Every structure is written in structure tokens, then in C-alpha cells.
Amino acid sequence: MSAGQPTVLVVEDEAAQREILSYNLEAEGFRVVRAENGEDALVRVAEENPDLILLDWMLPKVSGIEVCRQLKIRTETRGVPIIMLSARSEEVDRVRGLETGADDYVVKPYSVIELMARVRANLRRTRPAAVGEALNYEDIHLDAETHRVTRSGKALKLGPTEFRLLSTFMEKPGRVWSREQLLDRVWGRDIYVDTRTVDVHIGRLRKALCQHGGNDPLRTVRGAGYALG
Ligand code: CA
């Protein structure tokens, strides 16, 4: 099942390295997209909207540094965490890597366990529910680890789709999500679902959130989509 999983883009020109990284990320439950050069990476980012990027420094066509610089300039991609991978360990390179806007910097040869920990740490900021963090919004508490939701301390019964919808909203309260964005995030972009399905599940989520009373925290934004609060 790909729905709700964070997508990680692995940009690495060495096939063996690329496969080791992808294998480990998939074992951790991430959806993996691969690119073997900088040009390809920029195309994949536009197509796949990844939640995090592992970016090799030395790449054919467009360098990792240049890819990072371009992604950090654009508003659409600025917030996506980038972890630079580099064989160069000099402090000056580290500084240069971070100056281009990279969020983290790992020197090769790296420990896969440590790198996976860094991936989770970076996603904790941007996709907290997806890495098992507990979330709170007003009187609603969502524990992604145990899949339990409470409101004012009372357990709420939620279907799996409603649970993923609610975690998406609770990761970014106030953000307006279009139906298409919710389909991508909650159902996964690999399957076809009618956008009206989103409305049906929003209806169920609203009902579930109010099962012990309280007001409806979800807002319908006409012509745009839905938001929490
Ligand atoms: Ca390389």
C-alpha cells in the first residue's frame, strides 16, 4: 500500500549505491523514486512531489549543489528537506553544502542506520504523522504509532481512510488542500479514484470527529478544497 507513505527521491549516479539506499528506504516503509543524474532529478521532483530528497553531491549533467540551489529557490520545493551525500569530508564543503540550503549533510561512506535516522529526523519536521509522531490540534489528539485518535480524551472510531485524511490535515493545520492533493496524499497517486470520493470520506471524517459532540473543525473552502481550522 503506497497511500500516505512519504515519498523519498534518491539521486545517485552509482547504481549499486542507489539500490542499497532504495532497498533500505523501502524496508523502512517509504515509497522510493530514483534519479541517476541532476537533470533527471529536477524532472522527477516536478513529477513526483517527493517529501524528502537524498542528493549525491557529484552527479553528471547538473551537480548536486546546483540541483539543491535550484530547488531551494522555488517556492513549491523550498520546504522539501534535502540531505546531501558527499564523499568529500572537508569542513569547507560541509559549509558550502549547507549554504546552498541543504537541510542536512552526510559524508560517504555513511552508516545506513544513521542515514535512515537522519531521514526520519528530517521528516519529523515536515511529515510528523508519517514517521509516527503524535499530533495535537485543539482537543483532538492523534497517535500515529498506535493509530488512536481521541477528542477531549474520548476515543474516536475512524476508518483507515479517515485516519489518513485526519493525519494529513493535522500535519498542517490551516492549510487548504485541494481534492487532487488529498487524493495524492491519502489514496496514493498510483490508483484512480474519483474526486467525489474525497467528499464522501470528508463527510465520514466530520461525523467521526463529532461522534461525542463538539463542533466540526473541518472547513470547506469553496472552489479550493478543505482545511482544518
Ligand atoms: Ca556520485
Side-chain angles (χ1 to χ4, degrees):
M1 189 181 67
S2 70
Q5 286 174 311
T7 299
V8 177
L9 172 64
V10 174
V11 191
E12 167 65 77
D13 56 322
E14 285 164 62
Q17 290 278 338
R18 195 165 63 236
E19 288 318 304
I20 289 170
L21 286 175
S22 304
Y23 172 85
N24 281 283
L25 288 162
E26 278 165 357
E28 294 265 324
F30 298 114
R31 174 173 174 268
V32 177
V33 177
R34 300 158 172 83
E36 52 188 73
N37 60 58
E39 206 176 85
D40 195 18
L42 292 168
V43 174
R44 301 298 271 164
V45 169
E47 288 171 353
E48 302 282 347
N49 223 345
D51 294 292
L52 182 136
I53 303 167
L54 290 181
L55 181 60
D56 187 25
W57 178 299
M58 301 291 275
L59 288 171
K61 297 192 181 174
V62 183
S63 76
I65 285 286
E66 181 57 20
V67 171
C68 182
R69 204 186 59 78
Q70 289 194 26
L71 294 177
K72 290 300 178 183
I73 288 172
R74 297 182 200 157
T75 347
E76 321 88 79
T77 51
R78 185 177 295 152
V80 181
I82 296 179
I83 304 179
M84 293 284 296
L85 309 173
S86 171
R88 310 158 65 152
S89 62
E90 290 89 354
E91 192 61 23
V92 60
D93 287 336
R94 184 191 174 83
V95 170
R96 207 175 140 220
L98 295 172
E99 266 175 0
T100 57
D103 298 83
D104 212 340
Y105 184 97
V106 173
V107 175
K108 292 181 186 177
Y110 45 76
S111 120
V112 170
I113 293 171
E114 196 209 322
L115 184 55
M116 293 303 133
R118 299 273 194 101
V119 168
R120 298 182 87 82
N122 277 276
L123 283 171
R124 210 162 284 141
R125 279 189 295 116
T126 52
R127 294 289 314 275
V131 291
E133 291 286 290
L135 301 176
N136 291 295
Y137 175 78
E138 292 183 349
D139 57 348
I140 304 167
H141 177 80
L142 179 146
D143 188 331
E145 200 87 63
T146 59
H147 269 233
R148 287 172 64 93
V149 181
T150 59
R151 187 165 189 190
S152 297
K154 289 182 189 149
L156 296 184
K157 271 206 177 110
L158 287 186
T161 304
E162 288 72 43
F163 181 86
R164 290 200 298 272
L165 266 175
L166 182 61
S167 17
T168 300
F169 284 122
M170 285 183 71
E171 282 183 342
K172 290 193 171 69
R175 173 185 161 161
V176 179
W177 294 84
S178 71
R179 289 171 177 80
E180 289 74 18
Q181 288 168 334
L182 289 171
L183 278 177
D184 273 0
R185 176 61 70 88
V186 175
W187 279 263
R189 58 185 59 222
D190 305 327
I191 52 168
Y192 177 77
V193 182
D194 194 279
T195 49
R196 274 170 303 181
T197 307
V198 176
D199 301 333
V200 171
H201 286 275
I202 291 281
R204 287 187 195 160
L205 175 58
R206 285 188 150 132
K207 216 169 175 181
L209 288 172
C210 300
Q211 60 192 258
H212 303 300
N215 46 18
D216 177 7
L218 291 176
R219 192 159 52 91
T220 305
V221 184
R222 205 163 289 280
Y226 297 101
L228 177 66

